[in-house]
């Protein structure tokens, strides 16, 4: 029984690692993200995120949890520098 549980945990860890995605947005780009509890971590640049009627400005090192919701989040780069960020799913 313990072997099955350990295998399941290892599989979930692999799924989590595979689901993490790095994204890049140039100054003229806007991206829509479904809100499923993900965490957005900014690696470089300055970004703007809006959802549920609230606006957030994030810079390198900042993070924000999108939470769950029917409305999408919009994310964009502020300024001329590209925004590089990581999307980590909620597990």
């Amino acid at each position: 029984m313990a072997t099955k549980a350990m295998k399941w945990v290892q599989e979930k860890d692999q799924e989590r690692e595979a689901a993490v995605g790095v994204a890049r947005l140039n100054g003229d780009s806007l991206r829509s993200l479904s809100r499923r509890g993900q965490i957005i971590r900014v690696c470089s640049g300055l970004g703007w995120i809006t959802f549920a009627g609230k606006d957030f400005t994030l810079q390198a090192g900042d993070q924000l949890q999108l939470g769950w919701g029917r409305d999408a989040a919009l994310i964009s780069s502020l300024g001329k520098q590209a925004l590089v960020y990581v999307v980590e799913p909620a597990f």
Side-chain angles (χ1 to χ4, degrees), residues 4-70:
K4 281 187 176 181
M6 290 185 70
K7 184 177 178 184
W8 182 83
V9 169
Q10 289 173 343
E11 289 174 357
K12 290 300 170 192
D13 285 344
Q14 290 172 351
E15 289 174 13
R16 184 178 298 121
E17 289 172 6
V20 172
V22 177
R24 178 185 175 98
L25 282 173
N26 293 324
D28 58 349
S29 299
L30 180 69
R31 183 165 293 148
S32 174
L33 298 170
S34 297
R35 294 194 306 124
R36 296 187 180 119
Q38 313 94 308
I39 296 172
I40 305 298
R41 295 184 196 275
V42 176
C43 301
S44 66
L46 182 64
W48 168 77
I49 299 176
T50 185
F51 65 90
K54 297 178 184 171
D55 293 325
F56 304 89
T57 303
L58 288 88
Q59 60 187 358
D62 290 345
Q63 68 180 33
L64 177 68
Q65 185 165 18
L66 297 183
W68 293 80
R70 295 176 74 185

